[in-house]
Amino acid sequence: MAKFKGTVVVNTDCCKGCELCIEACPLKILGMSHHCNSKGYHYVELKDEDACIGCASCGYVCPDACLTIYKVKL
Amino acid sequence: MTAKEIIKPENLVYTKTKVMTDVPMHYCPGCSHGVIHKLIAEAIEEMGIQEKTIGVAPVGCSVFAYNYLDVDFQEAAHGRAPAVATAIKRLQPDKCVFTYQGDGDLAAIGTAETIHTCNRGENIVIFFINNAIYGMTGGQMAPTTLEGMKTSTCPYGRNTDIYGFPLKISDLLAELDGTCYVTRQSVHKVGNIVKAKKAIKKALQNSMDGKGTSVVEFVSSCNSGWKMSPHKANLWMEENMFAKYPLGDLKDTEKKHYGQ
Ligand SMILES: Cc1ncc(C[n+]2csc(CCOP(=O)(O)OP(=O)(O)O)c2C)c(N)n1
Ligand code: SF4
């Protein structure tokens, strides 16, 4: 069982759908939404809420600083 | 445990730094400029020097850097940022002064300013974003373009017989007595991002300590100009750019003093 549990809050309006976070996530649990934001970009979302360990890899690589990461120790 | 229970201020591990404004950045999706802006802002926040820092913006894609970083800024004419930064730092020696420049700005039109500023050992930081191309104007060949690399002005690939060789300007700057710290970093992976931030902090501290000129080169991607997806551009960069522009410190000393 994971020692940490995390979650990602996406600022969907500033996401440009570059998908760099999807590649950076070690667990590959981020994916593109079917919805678009006000600029017409598909934005990223956390596909598997339970699996996130809050490592913030996605946040570091995001060029537009759209991701906020929280984590708790279990 | 639900997301709602986790989302509390005490559990926050990463968010946008307050040294960045809320203005949405105009860069293409996946552009390295955004990550580098973020790192400079985070470094400034962590060092507590927001009120003391003055940036100089270039001409190039990052021409609007002053809209995104919440510190004092001056815009310079194309390539002249190091000259402007020289004046600012000389007039206000207690300030931390940096330029932010692309390879077209720093290594083409501004070569003279870059070299002479480093040679004078001005106590400033030069952040150099090397994407091997003129991004803003449509992906033309830059002095840093790799041999054989296709751009809009060398569609068959850079032919060194006609256009010369990729300019390793950081290596050149490391040879000058005025520079104290010259390093080459990248921001495509978490590990590299952590290292790059350390380099940024060291360079900013050098400016405060009056050690000489610091140059932090970021080997970057321009996925629009290279005509690749952001992820593919990063892979291409790892495969091709790092061979010509290897990462790591090129120099780490204090500037030489020969007396009056
Ligand atoms: C005096 C002058 N000459 C030419 C230009 C056109 N121009 C604008 S940006 C640019 C190149 C910028 O390339 P680079 O510094 O590599 O930055 P990037 O856009 O790739 O980030 C050029 C040639 C200009 N604005 N002013
Ligand atoms: S915090 Fe880590 S595990 Fe969670 S989505 Fe981001 S990269 Fe993946």
Side-chain angles (χ1 to χ4, degrees):
Chain A
M1 222 188 111
K3 283 196 186 126
F4 293 100
K5 187 157 166 27
T7 194
V8 180
V9 179
V10 182
N11 179 346
T12 53
D13 258 348
C14 85
C15 179
K16 295 175 184 160
C18 73
E19 305 190 10
L20 286 179
C21 55
I22 296 179
E23 297 294 338
C25 174
L27 301 172
K28 301 284 175 256
I29 50 174
L30 294 166
M32 298 313 284
S33 168
H34 296 298
H35 301 287
C36 290
N37 62 18
S38 57
K39 295 198 204 89
Y41 291 117
H42 289 285
Y43 50 83
V44 74
E45 59 187 18
L46 188 55
K47 295 284 185 191
D48 186 349
E49 292 258 348
D50 293 333
C52 179
I53 51 170
C55 69
S57 297
C58 51
Y60 282 106
V61 299
C62 175
D64 291 277
C66 311
L67 305 176
T68 301
I69 294 102
Y70 298 87
K71 89 170 167 187
V72 284
K73 210 169 170 188
L74 294 178
Chain B
M1 193 176 263
T2 64
K4 244 194 180 161
E5 290 169 296
I6 303 174
I7 301 171
K8 287 180 187 156
E10 64 267 28
N11 297 335
L12 181 70
V13 282
Y14 191 88
T15 191
K16 184 173 177 170
T17 148
K18 291 189 182 63
V19 179
M20 289 199 80
T21 63
D22 287 331
V23 181
M25 289 191 271
H26 72 282
Y27 300 115
C28 306
C31 175
S32 309
H33 275 303
V35 184
I36 301 166
H37 281 20
K38 217 172 65 170
L39 288 184
I40 295 173
E42 285 172 7
I44 291 171
E45 183 181 22
E46 285 164 27
M47 292 170 76
I49 53 170
Q50 186 174 10
E51 296 303 319
K52 273 193 192 169
T53 305
I54 304 176
V56 183
V59 170
C61 285
S62 46
V63 64
F64 294 133
Y66 48 77
N67 283 337
Y68 310 135
L69 291 173
D70 196 5
V71 295
D72 285 345
F73 249 99
Q74 174 62 46
E75 174 61 47
H78 205 0
R80 316 302 182 226
V84 175
T86 296
I88 295 173
K89 182 68 182 178
R90 286 192 176 198
L91 290 168
Q92 303 192 57
D94 56 320
K95 292 286 188 330
C96 182
V97 181
F98 72 85
T99 72
Y100 185 102
Q101 304 175 258
D103 46 322
D105 191 82
L106 177 143
I109 195 168
T111 314
E113 280 75 7
T114 306
I115 290 182
H116 287 295
T117 299
C118 290
N119 196 44
R120 292 192 304 268
E122 303 293 344
N123 297 316
I124 63 160
V125 182
I126 295 177
F127 294 123
F128 166 33
I129 289 68
N130 180 5
N131 53 19
I133 216 169
Y134 287 4
M136 184 198 211
T137 42
Q140 291 86 356
M141 186 180 69
T144 44
T145 299
L146 299 179
E147 191 174 342
M149 182 176 174
K150 289 180 181 160
T151 73
S152 61
T153 45
C154 52
Y156 303 108
R158 181 177 187 164
N159 177 346
T160 51
D161 288 344
I162 307 172
Y163 305 118
F165 298 90
L167 180 57
K168 296 175 81 169
I169 191 145
S170 293
D171 293 67
L172 228 143
L173 299 176
E175 291 294 315
L176 302 176
D177 289 343
T179 49
C180 60
Y181 180 48
V182 182
T183 182
R184 201 180 273 124
Q185 302 287 332
S186 84
V187 295
H188 66 303
K189 281 189 176 159
V190 179
N192 298 83
I193 289 173
V194 173
K195 275 191 211 154
K197 186 149 95 181
K198 270 196 197 143
I200 291 171
K201 280 186 168 173
K202 183 167 183 167
L204 292 173
Q205 192 59 50
N206 286 345
S207 169
M208 303 286 282
D209 297 345
K211 282 189 170 176
T213 314
S214 300
V215 181
V216 185
E217 171 177 348
F218 300 91
V219 182
S220 305
S221 68
C222 168
N223 59 76
S224 299
W226 295 0
K227 315 225 177 303
M228 293 174 202
S229 72
H231 178 57
K232 284 236 173 76
N234 278 345
L235 296 178
W236 190 89
M237 176 178 80
E238 276 187 321
E239 232 170 78
N240 300 282
M241 296 275 284
F242 292 173
K244 190 74 205 169
Y245 304 112
L247 304 184
D249 288 355
L250 298 166
K251 182 180 191 179
D252 188 3
T253 74
E254 286 195 28
K255 79 176 155 189
K256 291 185 182 156
H257 291 280
Y258 294 113
Q260 299 301 317

